[in-house]
Amino acid sequence: MKVMVETSAHHVHVSDADLEILFGKGAVLTNKKDLSQPGQFACVEKVEVVGPKGSMSMSILGPTRKETQVEISLTDARKLGVVAPIRESGDLDGTPGCTLRGPAGEVVLEKGVIAAKRHIHFSPEDAEKAGVVDKQIVSVKVDYNGRALVFGDVVCRVSPAYALAMHVDTDESNAAALPGTVDGEIIL
């Protein structure tokens, strides 16, 4: 089965409480661009992510979440000076923290910095067509620009809220010389 493979650059998800600290009382996220997942969007708002060795400006993705989280590549982790474990989104226990700076204030996170585990979003219908179930591990082959690569250890995430798409970070995308959004082939 074919799947659209998208590169997910570093970004931040914020809670309502942290959004107000960073941008002021009553702050709301401003949709700059809709993303492939229904209801998800890149925001106009950005924050400075500060680690022990450096800092980077990062976009916020909306809508707000229950818990603030920072998703970076392993190259970004070196620049910031943090050891970001490879985790699924939301799996934040035992992860390092950082400082977020916005125009109205600063939030010191005790945890929440991860390198997102490569994954495929499936609707239940798409999962059935592909013959996969939630949390199943698969591989995905891409072949562009003479740098064919098989991504192993890809977690399948199934929910009625999802649209079919695979997400890799910028390091992974660069390793395969992906020119942007491309098609990959799921290997069971």
Side-chain angles (χ1 to χ4, degrees):
M1 177 176 186
K2 297 270 186 208
V3 62
M4 175 178 63
V5 180
E6 298 179 304
T7 303
S8 180
H10 54 233
H11 59 272
V12 178
H13 297 282
V14 295
S15 67
D16 288 323
D18 289 345
L19 177 65
E20 285 206 343
I21 293 168
L22 294 164
F23 292 92
K25 187 143 181 74
V28 294
L29 294 173
T30 309
N31 184 335
K32 178 180 173 183
K33 176 186 168 190
D34 287 333
L35 301 175
S36 66
Q37 294 307 302
Q40 303 291 306
F41 54 93
C43 301
V44 170
E45 293 78 17
K46 293 183 176 197
V47 291
E48 183 180 6
V49 178
V50 183
K53 289 174 80 177
S55 66
M56 305 172 75
S57 176
M58 292 189 200
S59 294
I60 295 176
L61 298 188
T64 56
R65 290 199 177 177
K66 186 175 90 170
E67 196 168 11
T68 297
Q69 136 181 334
V70 178
E71 293 186 31
I72 58 176
S73 70
L74 296 178
T75 299
D76 295 334
R78 287 184 194 97
K79 180 176 180 178
L80 294 171
V82 296
V83 178
I86 298 168
R87 298 278 183 89
E88 284 190 58
S89 182
D91 181 6
L92 306 179
D93 288 341
T95 61
C98 65
T99 298
L100 303 180
R101 287 193 186 128
E106 154 175 313
V107 172
V108 177
L109 299 176
E110 297 299 318
K111 64 179 182 176
V113 179
I114 65 168
K117 184 176 182 74
R118 60 182 80 107
H119 57 279
I120 305 172
H121 295 278
F122 288 92
S123 68
E125 297 78 19
D126 287 327
E128 187 175 337
K129 284 180 199 170
V132 300
V133 295
D134 192 44
K135 303 298 184 195
Q136 182 175 339
I137 302 299
V138 298
S139 295
V140 175
K141 180 181 180 182
V142 294
D143 190 0
Y144 289 88
N145 299 317
R147 295 194 79 179
L149 187 138
V150 175
F151 289 109
D153 200 27
V154 181
V155 66
C156 297
R157 298 173 57 191
V158 181
S159 167
Y162 294 156
L164 183 62
M166 178 175 167
H167 291 153
V168 296
D169 69 25
T170 52
D171 287 349
E172 295 166 318
S173 179
N174 288 337
L178 301 182
T181 300
V182 300
D183 284 334
E185 182 182 348
I186 299 172
I187 302 168
L188 299 179

